[in-house]
Amino acid sequence: RQFGPDYWLYYGFEPPIELGGINSSSEVWVKFDETIDKLADFLRDNGPYDGLCGFDQGGCVIMQAARLAAEGDKRFAHKFRFLILFTTVLPKAILKQASFR
């Protein structure tokens, strides 16, 4: 809960954010698989939805869910049709160009 008692990250970064761990070619999303699994469970239990809306890290999470759906992951297939993303970026660590930066 690095932002106070009522706020926390869905997942963390290695190295930590203050050491440049966010959005760098060497970033590692700590517990990200657990976050994706929880989203898949939520969509299974409560979906499908017309669309998903995500802000910042939430947008990164649902963008990865859309990527997994496009790659054939059945947990996300036909669970949503579109995304609305606010201040979301594709993490450099998963870009093919990341090694060239």
Side-chain angles (χ1 to χ4, degrees), residues 7 19 23 30 35 39 41 65-66 69 88 92 94 96-97 100:
Y7 303 95
L19 298 178
N23 207 21
V30 179
T35 300
L39 177 60
D41 293 344
T88 301
K92 291 178 188 174
I94 65 168
K96 290 180 182 177
Q97 298 90 348
F100 300 110

Side-chain angles (χ1 to χ4, degrees), residues 53-60 62 84-89:
C53 180
F55 175 81
D56 199 11
Q57 287 181 307
C60 291
I62 63 173
I84 300 173
L85 304 169
F86 296 93
T87 65
T88 301
V89 297

Side-chain angles (χ1 to χ4, degrees), residues 29 32 36 59-69 76 83 89-91 94:
W29 293 17
F32 187 73
I36 287 291
C60 291
V61 171
I62 63 173
M63 191 174 357
Q64 296 311 308
R67 178 185 60 82
L68 290 168
F76 297 103
L83 303 177
V89 297
L90 186 63
I94 65 168

